[in-house]
């Protein structure tokens, strides 16, 4: 096995340009996915590149480096709009997984049940991809193209997740349902971000995970909630509205109808939690 562990991005991109490399970061998904004693083929380990890890302010938003871990997310000083992502980070695997697993790795694995995706969708996150010759930025909704599929081209490396200031406003919440509390693949997930003006929802961003090939925003329901009183928002969530954009499957964790029912209840509970928090701080 050929193994490279560069210390800067340009060196990594030069190696990646040769083709055929498996990119390794936290390896919390990569190792379980192989039955071999070692990873097959040449490996590009990007964990020794300081520029890829950490969260920073930019001129117009926030930059989350590709190898930023879930523990980094939990301990970061971020505005309340990121609370949903912090809540998800606390429920991704065990503490050991949270310490090793990376944000970009979670996205590149592209599991329908990837916990970070609904949260980042509510933040209108964008994915920065670099190659040896160019840089491009894609909305997360376009980066994820299907189960275990992304728009990352050969020779490209995800270098950061970007959140603009305009999408880092308001407050947020996240809930997931699994067969047990921890170390579980989600049956359904809900992420909610709300901008609230004097008790009225000025803007809503809602996303459901594990109920479609990729996590999905709910634009019709977002429009319905906009302009409503926060205290009445949870009661306004109707299952048919939640189900419309979703395409859940039947599997060992739950059938399609149960997933939709669960997603609806998770949304209601998330909205109720945000309403309760707003009353406590009023």
């Amino acid at each position: 096995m050929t193994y490279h562990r560069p210390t800067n991005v340009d060196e990594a991109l030069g190696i990646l340009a040769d083709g055929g490399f498996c990119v390794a970061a936290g390896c919390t998904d990569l190792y379980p996915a192989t039955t071999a004693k070692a990873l097959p083929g040449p490996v590009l380990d990007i964990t020794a590149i300081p520029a890829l890890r950490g969260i920073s302010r930019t001129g117009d938003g926030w930059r989350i480096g590709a190898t930023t871990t879930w523990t980094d997310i939990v301990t970061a000083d971020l505005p309340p709009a990121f609370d949903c992502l912090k809540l998800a980070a606390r429920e991704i695997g065990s503490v050991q997984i949270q310490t090793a697993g990376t944000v970009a790795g979670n996205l590149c694995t592209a599991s329908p049940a990837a916990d970070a995706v609904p949260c980042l969708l509510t933040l209108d996150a964008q994915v920065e991809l670099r190659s040896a010759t160019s840089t491009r930025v894609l909305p997360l909704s376009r980066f994820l193209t299907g189960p275990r599929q992304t728009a990352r081209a050969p020779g490209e490396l995800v270098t950061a997740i970007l959140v603009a200031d305009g999408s880092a406003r308001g407050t947020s919440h996240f809930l997931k349902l699994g067969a047990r509390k921890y170390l579980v693949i989600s049956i359904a997930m809900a992420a909610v971000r709300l901008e609230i003006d004097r008790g009225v929802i000025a803007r809503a961003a809602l996303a459901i995970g594990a109920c479609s090939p990729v996590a999905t925003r709910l634009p019709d329901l977002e429009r319905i909630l906009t302009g409503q009183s926060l205290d009445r928002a949870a009661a306004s969530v109707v299952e048919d509205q939640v189900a419309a954009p979703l395409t859940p499957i039947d599997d060992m964790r739950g059938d399609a109808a149960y997933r939709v029912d669960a997603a609806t209840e998770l949304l209601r509970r998330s909205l109720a939690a945000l309403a309760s928090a707003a009353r406590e701080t009023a």
Side-chain angles (χ1 to χ4, degrees):
M1 179 182 74
T2 303
Y3 175 81
H4 294 276
R5 195 167 187 252
T7 56
N8 65 75
V9 175
D10 288 338
E11 183 185 358
L13 295 175
I15 294 168
L16 199 59
D18 291 338
F21 279 86
C22 174
V23 179
C27 293
T28 57
D29 285 311
L30 191 59
Y31 276 115
T34 179
T35 57
K37 292 183 179 180
L39 294 174
V43 173
L44 174 63
D45 182 346
I46 60 172
T47 57
I49 304 175
L52 291 182
R53 183 170 179 178
I55 303 168
S56 59
R57 284 288 277 134
T58 65
D60 57 359
W62 297 85
R63 180 184 181 89
I64 303 173
T67 60
T68 300
T69 68
W70 299 112
T71 299
D72 294 337
I73 294 289
V74 169
T75 58
D77 184 13
L78 293 166
F82 289 84
D83 285 354
C84 58
L85 189 61
K86 285 176 172 278
L87 288 168
R90 291 187 177 96
E91 295 198 46
I92 293 178
S94 62
V95 172
Q96 293 92 334
I97 295 295
Q98 293 165 17
T99 303
T102 64
V103 179
N106 193 251
L107 301 186
C108 290
T109 299
S111 166
D115 291 339
V117 176
C119 307
L120 290 170
L121 285 175
T122 67
L123 291 163
D124 299 315
Q126 296 186 303
V127 179
E128 180 186 88
L129 299 118
R130 284 185 58 186
S131 70
T133 59
S134 64
T135 300
R136 62 180 178 137
V137 175
L138 287 178
L140 178 58
S141 58
R142 286 177 51 201
F143 174 75
L144 298 169
T145 58
R148 309 292 180 180
Q149 298 174 355
T150 74
R152 185 174 72 90
E156 282 188 325
L157 186 68
V158 173
T159 48
I161 294 89
L162 310 174
V163 177
D165 277 334
S167 298
R169 297 171 180 162
T171 187
S172 65
H173 199 70
F174 170 83
L175 286 172
K176 67 186 280 187
L177 174 68
R180 55 183 184 266
K181 179 62 176 174
Y182 295 109
L183 299 171
V184 65
I185 298 174
S186 299
I187 297 169
M189 296 178 284
V192 175
R193 182 177 64 86
L194 301 177
E195 296 177 34
I196 305 163
D197 183 12
R198 289 172 290 186
V200 174
I201 298 173
R203 185 185 177 196
L206 317 173
I208 298 295
C211 292
S212 295
V214 297
T216 306
R217 284 279 293 265
L218 307 177
D220 290 343
L221 185 54
E222 291 172 1
R223 284 190 287 271
I224 290 170
L225 292 180
T226 300
Q228 289 200 27
S229 164
L230 176 58
D231 286 332
R232 293 196 295 268
S236 301
V237 175
V238 178
E239 187 169 303
D240 287 347
Q241 298 163 348
V242 177
L246 305 180
T247 54
I249 62 170
D250 299 330
D251 67 9
M252 67 180 69
R253 287 183 292 277
D255 61 28
Y258 178 66
R259 289 178 189 275
V260 172
D261 184 61
T264 304
E265 182 61 23
L266 292 174
L267 274 178
R268 289 171 179 157
R269 292 185 184 187
S270 294
L271 289 164
L274 290 174
S276 177
R279 288 192 295 271
E280 289 177 4
T281 57

